[in-house]
Amino acid sequence: MNSHRKTLIVALISAGLLGGAGAATVAKFSHAPAGIIRDGVRIAGIDCGKKPVETARAELQAWRDARLAEKVVIALPAGVQNGKQWTATRAELGVDVDIDATLEKAVSIGEQEDATQRFAAWFTGHKVVDVAPKWRVDSARIKKLLKRKVASAISREPKDARFIALEQGFKIV
């Protein structure tokens, strides 16, 4: 009887430990960690997985600053005004990255997974997801720059249309 009782106690303790481990596992995988971007998430090619949102924000801000400083070529089609070109930075064109909206999208990727997907990813790894930055464009600023740089260089007085007689019909110029 005494050995039967010991076996029962060991079985109960084992069941309790297994139940506790199971509960801990379910708790671990039942929700995404708050403020941490899911593993495998990239923003504009920057690996932000397992990083706090504020760390990812700083890295995205540095990427954004570099992109805004890059020059963009504004070119007329070949044959028009000798294919003139102008350059401006993205910042001068009024283009910017909405960092908050981009990070919100990156964080939401982890929030969309259920416990089963997070548990499976623990063994297989997460699928890499590349989040494209959300760009904002200030169209009034672009128009202002185009008027100042481009329009003034190509603007000319309009000419009246005229007809040119051909052997068969006419041509409008």
Side-chain angles (χ1 to χ4, degrees):
M1 188 89 156
N2 198 9
S3 105
H4 196 56
R5 187 172 182 196
K6 285 182 183 178
T7 305
L8 181 62
I9 291 173
V10 168
L12 288 173
I13 290 172
S14 297
L17 289 173
L18 285 173
T25 302
V26 168
K28 175 176 175 43
F29 294 107
S30 65
H31 68 307
I36 304 293
I37 296 175
R38 179 184 67 80
D39 187 29
V41 174
R42 297 176 184 274
I43 302 174
I46 302 166
D47 185 5
C48 295
K50 296 183 180 178
K51 293 182 182 174
V53 172
E54 291 310 311
T55 301
R57 178 183 304 281
E59 291 178 8
L60 183 57
Q61 182 75 37
W63 179 89
R64 170 200 167 264
D65 292 346
R67 297 299 81 71
L68 294 183
E70 290 175 350
K71 297 274 184 181
V72 176
V73 176
I74 303 165
L76 295 176
V80 177
Q81 293 278 327
N82 297 325
K84 284 188 178 179
Q85 294 184 347
W86 298 265
T87 59
T89 64
R90 285 188 176 99
E92 290 171 330
L93 287 169
V95 177
D96 201 356
V97 175
D98 187 338
I99 291 177
D100 290 332
T102 303
L103 288 171
E104 188 176 306
K105 174 67 177 162
V107 169
S108 75
I109 291 168
E111 293 171 349
Q112 295 169 359
E113 293 180 332
D114 61 22
T116 307
Q117 290 169 316
R118 280 192 284 281
F119 184 71
W122 194 45
F123 295 103
T124 62
H126 281 99
K127 182 178 114 183
V128 174
V129 177
D130 200 357
V131 175
K134 175 135 176 73
W135 289 92
R136 290 185 307 222
V137 178
D138 182 349
S139 56
R141 197 160 169 192
I142 290 175
K143 286 178 186 176
K144 184 178 176 183
L145 183 120
L146 290 175
K147 275 185 177 179
R148 189 172 34 97
K149 283 191 170 188
V150 179
S152 62
I154 64 172
S155 180
R156 57 186 165 169
E157 288 297 317
K159 294 180 183 179
D160 288 336
R162 58 185 203 270
F163 294 99
I164 298 176
L166 303 172
E167 284 184 21
Q168 295 181 347
F170 59 91
K171 176 177 162 184
I172 302 174
V173 179

